[in-house]
Amino acid sequence: MKHQYLFGLLAVGALGVAGCGTDYSGTYKGEATESGTVKIAVPQTADVAKNESPPRKVPDATVTVSKDGSAYVVKFAACEMKGEASTPTLVVVKNTCDVKVANWEGKLPLSATLNFDGTGALSMEVTGTTKNEATVISYDWTFKGKK
């Protein structure tokens, strides 16, 4: 009885390791959408000034994915992010990158979730938010493409 349990556990463990070992390295081409918001508190009032970058289509966008051991490196636009697979088809990466939102430019901490499917398609969502006592800046970049 103990051997059946042990063999079952080993089989499940082997399947889990095999699934997490998938390598999604390659260049993905598709379309992205970029948007963002800058909110600034107006001193001595409850008002908030809001400056938005309306969603902007980025045709011919490219995302490059490479694997270094168990870590993934993802490059899009002028940003390089690093992270690891959290499930066999999901990779989470992060880094601080230069972005432009409306009339604001600067470094923003970004995180991205990459979803891969069995047909070679990638969907990626990048998001970042930073704030101080008077300003909140948010940035979004979404991508859908194929190898």
Side-chain angles (χ1 to χ4, degrees):
M1 194 64 135
K2 290 181 183 177
H3 293 287
Q4 288 176 337
Y5 177 75
L6 178 62
F7 290 129
L9 185 61
L10 289 173
V12 169
L15 285 173
V17 170
C20 289
T22 305
D23 186 353
Y24 295 106
S25 295
T27 300
Y28 297 81
K29 297 180 187 232
E31 185 176 271
T33 304
E34 181 179 49
S35 63
T37 305
V38 177
K39 295 179 184 177
I40 302 170
V42 179
Q44 283 99 29
T45 71
D47 294 335
V48 174
K50 188 174 180 181
N51 193 353
E52 291 185 86
S53 288
R56 178 179 71 90
K57 295 278 185 199
V58 182
D60 303 325
T62 301
V63 173
T64 304
V65 178
S66 59
K67 191 170 183 185
D68 182 16
S70 65
Y72 276 92
V73 177
V74 177
K75 296 177 184 177
F76 77 98
C79 183
E80 182 177 299
M81 306 169 83
K82 295 180 182 179
E84 295 190 2
S86 60
T87 71
T89 60
L90 184 74
V91 173
V92 178
V93 294
K94 61 184 175 179
N95 198 5
T96 299
C97 297
D98 289 319
V99 298
K100 181 176 182 180
V101 177
N103 59 350
W104 181 88
E105 288 184 56
K107 293 197 176 293
L108 196 63
L110 301 176
S111 64
T113 303
L114 291 80
N115 288 295
F116 299 92
D117 73 11
T119 67
L122 166 66
S123 62
M124 176 174 158
E125 293 185 22
V126 179
T127 187
T129 302
T130 189
K131 62 182 178 177
N132 60 30
E133 53 282 338
T135 307
V136 176
I137 299 163
S138 62
Y139 175 81
D140 295 295
W141 194 85
T142 59
F143 173 84
K144 289 191 185 297
K146 289 190 137 219
K147 273 189 180 180

